[in-house]
Amino acid sequence: MRNAWVIAKRDMGSYFNSPVFYVVTTVFLVIYSFIFSQILTFFSFQSVQASQFRGMNIGLNLNEMVIEPSFQNMAVTLLMIIPILTMRSFADEKKSKTYTLLLSSPIHLKEIIFGKFLACMTVVAVMILLSSYSIGFLLMLGEPEIGPIVTGYLGILLMAGCYVGMGVFASSLTDNQIIAAVIAFGMSLFMWIIGWASQAASAGLAEVLQFLSLVDHMQRFLKGIVDTSDVIYYISFILLTLFLTHRVLDSQRWR
């Protein structure tokens, strides 16, 4: 795995020295901050109304009304942002003519793919970490439950891992970064909405579609529940995308 870390460090340096990272991170934080402020404003409005009806014993939950929807919207924003980060993983190597050199190096394909994946995940983790100012703000204002926040971040990272896995796979298919981003976005969106078809499907098929949906597995994390089946699903999904990437690179290595 030492070679994977070398690949990851090289790619992370490329990301952090590129204006793309700073532009993408700024756009992500602006969109997230705007949505968070709107959710918080609505919560404040509801709190004022609830205080006027104290006799009705109306209670507002900060986790359910602010943190959960903020995490859900963060997951949607990452769906749109991550393909822009992952599109260069292999497509940029092909464009700069270093792809053949990379594949012919003594480094194992698994280490190359894991290094690329690790670099993208580190960049995404930094973006998510920067957005955590919102949670710090809520901790100063109120007393949200810490458990659902921790599990929510775990769910976000696992879902982001699936986005990154699909993005790295899409980047291995083409030397055009725009096409790679579009393929990654299409795949991520499809896996996001696939559960919608369960409403018109038979009971058995509906269960399968809901199981395949990335969203359905996220809901329990946001409630503070870490279900082993959800963790296994996300990890299996990531491993599948990396396996498919390995198959693509292996087929191209011997051409």
Side-chain angles (χ1 to χ4, degrees), residues 22-35:
Y22 298 98
V23 171
V24 169
T25 302
T26 301
V27 170
F28 167 72
L29 291 176
V30 168
I31 293 174
Y32 173 75
S33 299
F34 175 76
I35 295 172

